[in-house]
Structures are given as structure tokens and as C-alpha cells.
Amino acid sequence: MVTEVRMVTETYHLHGQTIEACVPARFDLKTGHQVFDEVLDEQAIQQAFTIYRCKNQIISVQRIKTLRQNLGLSQRDFAALLGWSPTTIATYETGTLPSHAHNSALLALEQDQQHVQFLFTVNREKISQRGQTALLAQQAPVAAQVLIETGITESFQATNQTIVAGYQVFDLKKFGQFVSFFLQQGPHCDARQLNDLLATADFTFFGQQTVGISGMVYCKPATKVEPIKRQLVYGALVNSGVLAETATGYQATQAVDETWFTALELATMQAVAQSGPDEKMLQRIGTADEIAYDRVN
């Protein structure tokens, strides 16, 4: 029998959902009829399950393996970290769909390294010594970064809700999104242009709403306005992976999470991104260790 492989659209019914997939199938050239091919049939089923996973945001087998391997854990220790049986992890890594609760747990673990620390604290005694050593090595840099970020945020406590912070509360994570927004709107802006955009947005919004956006304190030591502690703040954002350094400044590495901002804040940020820094406003500001927002507009 002479055969050939053709692409066909097949319909599969998986867990109450109809999934259509374009898959390879073998046909008899003489009769034109589809013939059984165990290998191709298995490939087709796996492709349908891949579509089902994507459609329902279910973590893939490879992502589960990569997550475990990146933590340096065996299946047994990975299961212990999560509080599951080793058999559960083994079946998930061979293609079994995780339950809704387990899928959510794996996604959380994949997206938030701090969640690893929490689970390690809860389930440490169940994990082998080798697994504990691997996790401690993984978590040390994360723990250090958390301490740095917490320390920076707390260092602004003295100025929070004062006029030099635009009556706002500084949060390093929100400031990271603030910076990323302008870098993504104008990815070729250098460090000085970035600082000008941030200051313009904060001061403009204060002029409109009597409150700033970011809670950042700005200074003007000479001729240019810049965030206070800028090297420390930007350095922490680089270390956390929010920014990456370039030859002229920084670039954003992640999509902006706009839920950090109100609709009014976003409208002002978008307007400033389109029009550029208010050079005249920034030039009018005299040298200052801390710029009072109400002295700008």
C-alpha cells in the first residue's frame, strides 16, 4: 500500500470542550481513505491537548519540568515543596492535566519567586537535605533583593505624604511601572530625557489634582531635575529585572501593569509621553535638594 501524509482538521472533545486542530494524517493513495498510523494519531492527540492547555491557561509539561529543574529539585523534593505526592508530579510531567488548584499553584510558583520562599518555610522538613541546599542557593539572591526593595521603599517614609512627595506614598514597585511606561512609549530616550518625563508627569498631575503620581522626591543639584537617590532606585529596578541598562540609560524588560495607576494618572502619563517633557517648567525650578511640588506649576 502506497500512502502519503496530509494535513487535516480534526475535532476532539476534551473535558467538555470542542477542540479543532490541524494535524497530520496518513492516507492510502489508491483509495484516498485515511488509514491508521499510531505515531501520527498520538501526535494529533498531543497537539489537541496543547491547544486545550493554551485555551484554558494550563501550564505545559515542559514548563513544569523547567520550573522543577530551575529550582534544582528532584520530582520527590518538588512534590514535597508543594505538599503533594511524588506520583502527582510524575504524572503531570508525563502529560496528565493538573487539577485547577494544582495548575494555579504551579503558575503562582512560576511567576513569583517569593512564593517559593513561603512554601520552603512551610514544607522545609519534608524536603531532603540535598533539596534544601538547592533551594537555599536559589533563594538567597531573591531574599537579598526583597530586603533591598523593602529598604528603599522604607527610606522614603520620612517624605511620604509631604509636599516634596506630592502628598503621595512612594512604592518602588509602582515607580518601576512608572519608569517602564515612559521607556516603552519612547524606548530610545536617554537617562536625562527619562528623568525629565517622570518629573513632568508628576508635577503636571500635581498641578491638576493636588497630588503626585509616584511619590518620588525630585532634586535639582545643578542644571537638571532628577529623582532623589536615583542610582540606588534605578539599580534596584535593574537587579529585580524590571529594567536593563543600555549605553545611554535604561530599557524596560516587562510589559507595563497599568492596574498600578488610576485612569486620570494614565491620561496624564500618556499626554506627557506624546508631548514630551515640559522644558520651560523644569528650567524655572531653582537648585534644590528636595523640590516642593507646589513651587513648580
Side-chain angles (χ1 to χ4, degrees), residues 125-200:
E125 293 182 358
K126 302 175 184 176
I127 302 170
S128 72
Q129 191 60 50
R130 181 178 178 181
Q132 290 186 34
T133 300
L135 285 170
L136 286 170
Q138 287 276 338
Q139 294 309 303
V142 177
Q145 181 62 28
V146 170
L147 287 174
I148 291 170
E149 292 178 4
T150 302
I152 291 173
T153 297
E154 290 179 351
S155 73
F156 282 84
Q157 285 185 345
T159 55
N160 280 344
Q161 297 182 316
T162 67
I163 190 60
V164 296
Y167 298 125
Q168 264 288 14
V169 175
F170 178 80
D171 186 297
L172 184 62
K173 290 184 178 180
K174 181 177 181 178
F175 188 73
Q177 297 301 313
F178 191 45
V179 172
S180 294
F181 176 88
F182 287 105
L183 288 174
Q184 291 189 359
Q185 296 292 318
H188 301 298
C189 71
D190 59 25
R192 177 167 183 172
Q193 290 172 317
L194 172 63
N195 292 337
D196 287 348
L197 287 166
L198 298 173
T200 297

Side-chain angles (χ1 to χ4, degrees), residues 2-292:
V2 181
T3 64
E4 69 174 2
V5 175
R6 306 173 191 169
M7 298 303 293
V8 298
T9 299
E10 295 281 7
T11 300
Y12 300 86
H13 299 284
L14 303 176
H15 301 278
Q17 293 185 26
T18 300
I19 302 294
E20 288 191 349
C22 186
V23 298
R26 189 170 297 282
F27 286 82
D28 182 341
L29 281 179
K30 184 177 181 179
T31 65
H33 294 157
Q34 186 173 340
V35 296
F36 175 72
D37 185 309
E38 184 176 359
V39 174
L40 291 182
D41 281 1
E42 180 61 26
Q43 290 178 3
I45 292 171
Q46 291 306 317
Q47 187 170 336
F49 270 104
T50 297
I51 294 171
Y52 177 84
R53 285 177 185 267
C54 292
K55 187 176 180 180
N56 293 278
Q57 297 183 319
I58 298 173
I59 191 168
S60 69
V61 169
Q62 187 54 52
R63 282 166 62 191
I64 295 173
K65 290 181 180 179
T66 299
L67 176 59
R68 175 177 62 77
Q69 291 166 355
N70 286 344
L71 292 172
L73 299 177
S74 64
Q75 288 184 344
R76 182 173 295 277
D77 279 331
F78 190 46
L81 176 68
L82 288 158
W84 305 342
S85 72
T87 304
T88 299
I89 295 298
T91 59
Y92 289 165
E93 289 194 4
T94 53
T96 300
L97 292 172
S99 67
H100 177 74
H102 282 188
N103 183 61
S104 297
L106 289 165
L107 290 175
L109 201 63
E110 183 182 50
Q111 295 165 6
D112 186 0
Q113 282 293 310
Q114 293 185 45
H115 191 52
V116 178
Q117 287 182 299
F118 169 75
L119 290 176
F120 182 52
T121 301
V122 173
N123 296 316
R124 181 168 184 167
E125 293 182 358
K126 302 175 184 176
I127 302 170
S128 72
Q129 191 60 50
R130 181 178 178 181
Q132 290 186 34
T133 300
L135 285 170
L136 286 170
Q138 287 276 338
Q139 294 309 303
V142 177
Q145 181 62 28
V146 170
L147 287 174
I148 291 170
E149 292 178 4
T150 302
I152 291 173
T153 297
E154 290 179 351
S155 73
F156 282 84
Q157 285 185 345
T159 55
N160 280 344
Q161 297 182 316
T162 67
I163 190 60
V164 296
Y167 298 125
Q168 264 288 14
V169 175
F170 178 80
D171 186 297
L172 184 62
K173 290 184 178 180
K174 181 177 181 178
F175 188 73
Q177 297 301 313
F178 191 45
V179 172
S180 294
F181 176 88
F182 287 105
L183 288 174
Q184 291 189 359
Q185 296 292 318
H188 301 298
C189 71
D190 59 25
R192 177 167 183 172
Q193 290 172 317
L194 172 63
N195 292 337
D196 287 348
L197 287 166
L198 298 173
T200 297
D202 259 330
F203 294 150
T204 299
F205 192 73
F206 182 87
Q208 298 167 347
Q209 306 294 330
T210 324
V211 67
I213 295 174
S214 70
M216 172 54 73
V217 179
Y218 296 91
C219 61
K220 191 175 184 181
T223 60
K224 58 183 180 180
V225 174
E226 59 190 44
I228 202 168
K229 307 174 186 174
R230 63 183 176 82
Q231 292 182 327
L232 181 64
V233 171
Y234 286 146
L237 294 176
V238 169
N239 288 337
S240 65
V242 175
L243 304 180
E245 290 188 270
T246 66
T248 58
Y250 305 93
Q251 66 181 23
T253 60
Q254 304 171 5
V256 177
D257 181 0
E258 295 187 352
T259 60
W260 280 96
F261 307 102
T262 67
L264 289 175
E265 288 173 341
L266 281 171
T268 297
M269 290 159 61
Q270 289 163 353
V272 170
Q274 291 173 2
S275 63
D278 188 335
E279 299 289 354
K280 291 183 178 179
M281 177 181 70
L282 298 177
Q283 288 172 4
R284 287 197 304 267
I285 301 171
T287 57
D289 292 333
E290 295 180 346
I291 300 170

